Structures are given as structure tokens and as C-alpha cells.
PDB file of all heavy atoms in Angstrom:
ATOM      1  N   ASP T  11    -103.198-138.351 -13.163  1.00  0.00           N
ATOM      2  CA  ASP T  11    -104.372-137.961 -12.364  1.00  0.00           C
ATOM      3  C   ASP T  11    -104.208-138.241 -10.883  1.00  0.00           C
ATOM      4  O   ASP T  11    -105.119-137.980 -10.095  1.00  0.00           O
ATOM      5  CB  ASP T  11    -105.629-138.660 -12.892  1.00  0.00           C
ATOM      6  CG  ASP T  11    -105.485-140.178 -12.921  1.00  0.00           C
ATOM      7  OD1 ASP T  11    -104.433-140.693 -12.495  1.00  0.00           O
ATOM      8  OD2 ASP T  11    -106.430-140.851 -13.380  1.00  0.00           O
ATOM      9  N   GLY T  12    -103.060-138.775 -10.475  1.00  0.00           N
ATOM     10  CA  GLY T  12    -102.797-139.064  -9.070  1.00  0.00           C
ATOM     11  C   GLY T  12    -101.703-138.166  -8.520  1.00  0.00           C
ATOM     12  O   GLY T  12    -100.892-137.614  -9.274  1.00  0.00           O
ATOM     13  N   ALA T  13    -101.662-138.029  -7.204  1.00  0.00           N
ATOM     14  CA  ALA T  13    -100.689-137.142  -6.570  1.00  0.00           C
ATOM     15  C   ALA T  13     -99.448-137.918  -6.136  1.00  0.00           C
ATOM     16  O   ALA T  13     -99.090-137.950  -4.958  1.00  0.00           O
ATOM     17  CB  ALA T  13    -101.327-136.422  -5.387  1.00  0.00           C
ATOM     18  N   PHE T  14     -98.781-138.574  -7.084  1.00  0.00           N
ATOM     19  CA  PHE T  14     -97.551-139.270  -6.727  1.00  0.00           C
ATOM     20  C   PHE T  14     -96.607-139.353  -7.920  1.00  0.00           C
ATOM     21  O   PHE T  14     -97.021-139.283  -9.084  1.00  0.00           O
ATOM     22  CB  PHE T  14     -97.834-140.670  -6.165  1.00  0.00           C
ATOM     23  CG  PHE T  14     -98.415-141.640  -7.148  1.00  0.00           C
ATOM     24  CD1 PHE T  14     -97.595-142.475  -7.899  1.00  0.00           C
ATOM     25  CD2 PHE T  14     -99.787-141.738  -7.324  1.00  0.00           C
ATOM     26  CE1 PHE T  14     -98.134-143.372  -8.800  1.00  0.00           C
ATOM     27  CE2 PHE T  14    -100.335-142.634  -8.223  1.00  0.00           C
ATOM     28  CZ  PHE T  14     -99.508-143.454  -8.962  1.00  0.00           C
ATOM     29  N   VAL T  15     -95.333-139.481  -7.588  1.00  0.00           N
ATOM     30  CA  VAL T  15     -94.281-139.683  -8.576  1.00  0.00           C
ATOM     31  C   VAL T  15     -93.689-141.057  -8.322  1.00  0.00           C
ATOM     32  O   VAL T  15     -93.318-141.381  -7.187  1.00  0.00           O
ATOM     33  CB  VAL T  15     -93.188-138.606  -8.471  1.00  0.00           C
ATOM     34  CG1 VAL T  15     -92.130-138.814  -9.561  1.00  0.00           C
ATOM     35  CG2 VAL T  15     -93.785-137.213  -8.565  1.00  0.00           C
ATOM     36  N   ASP T  16     -93.594-141.873  -9.366  1.00  0.00           N
ATOM     37  CA  ASP T  16     -93.062-143.227  -9.240  1.00  0.00           C
ATOM     38  C   ASP T  16     -91.578-143.205  -9.582  1.00  0.00           C
ATOM     39  O   ASP T  16     -91.195-142.924 -10.715  1.00  0.00           O
ATOM     40  CB  ASP T  16     -93.823-144.162 -10.187  1.00  0.00           C
ATOM     41  CG  ASP T  16     -93.560-145.631  -9.907  1.00  0.00           C
ATOM     42  OD1 ASP T  16     -92.482-145.939  -9.364  1.00  0.00           O
ATOM     43  OD2 ASP T  16     -94.422-146.466 -10.232  1.00  0.00           O
ATOM     44  N   TRP T  17     -90.746-143.498  -8.578  1.00  0.00           N
ATOM     45  CA  TRP T  17     -89.297-143.509  -8.748  1.00  0.00           C
ATOM     46  C   TRP T  17     -88.751-144.935  -8.821  1.00  0.00           C
ATOM     47  O   TRP T  17     -87.557-145.150  -8.642  1.00  0.00           O
ATOM     48  CB  TRP T  17     -88.615-142.777  -7.587  1.00  0.00           C
ATOM     49  CG  TRP T  17     -89.064-141.373  -7.361  1.00  0.00           C
ATOM     50  CD1 TRP T  17     -89.994-140.943  -6.461  1.00  0.00           C
ATOM     51  CD2 TRP T  17     -88.601-140.191  -8.034  1.00  0.00           C
ATOM     52  NE1 TRP T  17     -90.142-139.567  -6.526  1.00  0.00           N
ATOM     53  CE2 TRP T  17     -89.301-139.085  -7.481  1.00  0.00           C
ATOM     54  CE3 TRP T  17     -87.660-139.958  -9.040  1.00  0.00           C
ATOM     55  CZ2 TRP T  17     -89.086-137.772  -7.907  1.00  0.00           C
ATOM     56  CZ3 TRP T  17     -87.443-138.655  -9.461  1.00  0.00           C
ATOM     57  CH2 TRP T  17     -88.156-137.572  -8.899  1.00  0.00           C
ATOM     58  N   SER T  18     -89.611-145.917  -9.108  1.00  0.00           N
ATOM     59  CA  SER T  18     -89.216-147.317  -8.975  1.00  0.00           C
ATOM     60  C   SER T  18     -88.460-147.885 -10.171  1.00  0.00           C
ATOM     61  O   SER T  18     -87.941-149.000 -10.089  1.00  0.00           O
ATOM     62  CB  SER T  18     -90.453-148.186  -8.707  1.00  0.00           C
ATOM     63  OG  SER T  18     -91.310-148.231  -9.836  1.00  0.00           O
ATOM     64  N   GLY T  19     -88.376-147.155 -11.268  1.00  0.00           N
ATOM     65  CA  GLY T  19     -87.715-147.719 -12.448  1.00  0.00           C
ATOM     66  C   GLY T  19     -87.054-146.663 -13.299  1.00  0.00           C
ATOM     67  O   GLY T  19     -87.084-145.461 -12.993  1.00  0.00           O
ATOM     68  N   ASN T  20     -86.449-147.123 -14.380  1.00  0.00           N
ATOM     69  CA  ASN T  20     -85.753-146.251 -15.321  1.00  0.00           C
ATOM     70  C   ASN T  20     -86.657-145.940 -16.513  1.00  0.00           C
ATOM     71  O   ASN T  20     -87.646-146.621 -16.752  1.00  0.00           O
ATOM     72  CB  ASN T  20     -84.483-146.953 -15.807  1.00  0.00           C
ATOM     73  CG  ASN T  20     -83.708-146.134 -16.820  1.00  0.00           C
ATOM     74  OD1 ASN T  20     -83.690-144.911 -16.752  1.00  0.00           O
ATOM     75  ND2 ASN T  20     -83.069-146.801 -17.765  1.00  0.00           N
ATOM     76  N   CYS T  21     -86.293-144.910 -17.263  1.00  0.00           N
ATOM     77  CA  CYS T  21     -86.871-144.670 -18.588  1.00  0.00           C
ATOM     78  C   CYS T  21     -85.773-144.887 -19.607  1.00  0.00           C
ATOM     79  O   CYS T  21     -84.820-144.099 -19.691  1.00  0.00           O
ATOM     80  CB  CYS T  21     -87.430-143.256 -18.718  1.00  0.00           C
ATOM     81  SG  CYS T  21     -88.035-142.890 -20.390  1.00  0.00           S
ATOM     82  N   GLY T  22     -85.880-145.973 -20.372  1.00  0.00           N
ATOM     83  CA  GLY T  22     -84.851-146.284 -21.353  1.00  0.00           C
ATOM     84  C   GLY T  22     -84.783-145.276 -22.475  1.00  0.00           C
ATOM     85  O   GLY T  22     -83.700-144.992 -23.004  1.00  0.00           O
ATOM     86  N   ASN T  23     -85.929-144.718 -22.872  1.00  0.00           N
ATOM     87  CA  ASN T  23     -85.917-143.724 -23.940  1.00  0.00           C
ATOM     88  C   ASN T  23     -85.197-142.448 -23.513  1.00  0.00           C
ATOM     89  O   ASN T  23     -84.321-141.944 -24.224  1.00  0.00           O
ATOM     90  CB  ASN T  23     -87.354-143.421 -24.377  1.00  0.00           C
ATOM     91  CG  ASN T  23     -87.876-144.420 -25.384  1.00  0.00           C
ATOM     92  OD1 ASN T  23     -87.325-144.579 -26.463  1.00  0.00           O
ATOM     93  ND2 ASN T  23     -88.939-145.122 -25.016  1.00  0.00           N
ATOM     94  N   LEU T  24     -85.557-141.924 -22.338  1.00  0.00           N
ATOM     95  CA  LEU T  24     -84.903-140.698 -21.880  1.00  0.00           C
ATOM     96  C   LEU T  24     -83.434-140.923 -21.535  1.00  0.00           C
ATOM     97  O   LEU T  24     -82.665-139.959 -21.460  1.00  0.00           O
ATOM     98  CB  LEU T  24     -85.649-140.105 -20.679  1.00  0.00           C
ATOM     99  CG  LEU T  24     -86.999-139.452 -20.979  1.00  0.00           C
ATOM    100  CD1 LEU T  24     -87.549-138.755 -19.733  1.00  0.00           C
ATOM    101  CD2 LEU T  24     -86.916-138.458 -22.139  1.00  0.00           C
ATOM    102  N   SER T  25     -83.033-142.184 -21.354  1.00  0.00           N
ATOM    103  CA  SER T  25     -81.610-142.477 -21.126  1.00  0.00           C
ATOM    104  C   SER T  25     -80.755-141.927 -22.264  1.00  0.00           C
ATOM    105  O   SER T  25     -79.600-141.543 -22.064  1.00  0.00           O
ATOM    106  CB  SER T  25     -81.386-143.981 -21.003  1.00  0.00           C
ATOM    107  OG  SER T  25     -82.079-144.525 -19.898  1.00  0.00           O
ATOM    108  N   ALA T  26     -81.342-141.865 -23.480  1.00  0.00           N
ATOM    109  CA  ALA T  26     -80.608-141.354 -24.636  1.00  0.00           C
ATOM    110  C   ALA T  26     -80.307-139.872 -24.516  1.00  0.00           C
ATOM    111  O   ALA T  26     -79.368-139.367 -25.152  1.00  0.00           O
ATOM    112  CB  ALA T  26     -81.398-141.620 -25.915  1.00  0.00           C
ATOM    113  N   ALA T  27     -81.092-139.145 -23.735  1.00  0.00           N
ATOM    114  CA  ALA T  27     -80.896-137.698 -23.590  1.00  0.00           C
ATOM    115  C   ALA T  27     -79.977-137.346 -22.428  1.00  0.00           C
ATOM    116  O   ALA T  27     -79.551-136.197 -22.306  1.00  0.00           O
ATOM    117  CB  ALA T  27     -82.248-137.011 -23.407  1.00  0.00           C
ATOM    118  N   VAL T  28     -79.667-138.318 -21.570  1.00  0.00           N
ATOM    119  CA  VAL T  28     -78.866-138.041 -20.381  1.00  0.00           C
ATOM    120  C   VAL T  28     -77.454-137.611 -20.767  1.00  0.00           C
ATOM    121  O   VAL T  28     -76.924-136.616 -20.250  1.00  0.00           O
ATOM    122  CB  VAL T  28     -78.834-139.275 -19.456  1.00  0.00           C
ATOM    123  CG1 VAL T  28     -77.814-139.085 -18.333  1.00  0.00           C
ATOM    124  CG2 VAL T  28     -80.222-139.528 -18.874  1.00  0.00           C
ATOM    125  N   GLY T  29     -76.817-138.360 -21.666  1.00  0.00           N
ATOM    126  CA  GLY T  29     -75.466-137.991 -22.086  1.00  0.00           C
ATOM    127  C   GLY T  29     -75.398-136.617 -22.716  1.00  0.00           C
ATOM    128  O   GLY T  29     -74.566-135.781 -22.324  1.00  0.00           O
ATOM    129  N   PRO T  30     -76.245-136.325 -23.716  1.00  0.00           N
ATOM    130  CA  PRO T  30     -76.232-134.980 -24.300  1.00  0.00           C
ATOM    131  C   PRO T  30     -76.466-133.866 -23.280  1.00  0.00           C
ATOM    132  O   PRO T  30     -75.801-132.830 -23.334  1.00  0.00           O
ATOM    133  CB  PRO T  30     -77.374-135.056 -25.326  1.00  0.00           C
ATOM    134  CG  PRO T  30     -77.395-136.485 -25.743  1.00  0.00           C
ATOM    135  CD  PRO T  30     -77.089-137.258 -24.488  1.00  0.00           C
ATOM    136  N   PHE T  31     -77.416-134.066 -22.354  1.00  0.00           N
ATOM    137  CA  PHE T  31     -77.664-133.049 -21.335  1.00  0.00           C
ATOM    138  C   PHE T  31     -76.435-132.874 -20.448  1.00  0.00           C
ATOM    139  O   PHE T  31     -76.036-131.743 -20.129  1.00  0.00           O
ATOM    140  CB  PHE T  31     -78.873-133.433 -20.489  1.00  0.00           C
ATOM    141  CG  PHE T  31     -79.189-132.450 -19.395  1.00  0.00           C
ATOM    142  CD1 PHE T  31     -80.097-131.425 -19.597  1.00  0.00           C
ATOM    143  CD2 PHE T  31     -78.578-132.544 -18.154  1.00  0.00           C
ATOM    144  CE1 PHE T  31     -80.393-130.510 -18.582  1.00  0.00           C
ATOM    145  CE2 PHE T  31     -78.861-131.645 -17.130  1.00  0.00           C
ATOM    146  CZ  PHE T  31     -79.768-130.624 -17.352  1.00  0.00           C
ATOM    147  N   ALA T  32     -75.847-133.996 -20.027  1.00  0.00           N
ATOM    148  CA  ALA T  32     -74.685-133.930 -19.139  1.00  0.00           C
ATOM    149  C   ALA T  32     -73.541-133.173 -19.784  1.00  0.00           C
ATOM    150  O   ALA T  32     -72.876-132.346 -19.143  1.00  0.00           O
ATOM    151  CB  ALA T  32     -74.256-135.340 -18.746  1.00  0.00           C
ATOM    152  N   ILE T  33     -73.291-133.427 -21.069  1.00  0.00           N
ATOM    153  CA  ILE T  33     -72.210-132.741 -21.776  1.00  0.00           C
ATOM    154  C   ILE T  33     -72.513-131.250 -21.899  1.00  0.00           C
ATOM    155  O   ILE T  33     -71.673-130.396 -21.591  1.00  0.00           O
ATOM    156  CB  ILE T  33     -71.998-133.370 -23.156  1.00  0.00           C
ATOM    157  CG1 ILE T  33     -71.464-134.802 -23.014  1.00  0.00           C
ATOM    158  CG2 ILE T  33     -71.044-132.526 -23.998  1.00  0.00           C
ATOM    159  CD1 ILE T  33     -71.468-135.591 -24.306  1.00  0.00           C
ATOM    160  N   ALA T  34     -73.727-130.922 -22.334  1.00  0.00           N
ATOM    161  CA  ALA T  34     -74.094-129.522 -22.560  1.00  0.00           C
ATOM    162  C   ALA T  34     -74.132-128.711 -21.277  1.00  0.00           C
ATOM    163  O   ALA T  34     -73.962-127.489 -21.317  1.00  0.00           O
ATOM    164  CB  ALA T  34     -75.447-129.454 -23.263  1.00  0.00           C
TER     165      ALA T  34
END
């Protein structure tokens, strides 16, 4: 509901999708 994106940390769950995306 706010007009901002928080870039201050990681998402550990989505980290699992980074490798598959990078390969594909």
C-alpha cells in the first residue's frame, strides 16, 4: 500500500529460484 521498494535485504525463499532462472 506504499509507494516504495525495499532493497535492504535478501529473500531466502526466492534464492532457490535464482539458479534455475540463471541456467534457463
Side-chain angles (χ1 to χ4, degrees):
D11 56 2
F14 67 92
V15 182
D16 193 334
W17 304 97
S18 68
N20 179 33
C21 176
N23 276 300
L24 288 187
S25 298
V28 170
F31 179 93
I33 293 169

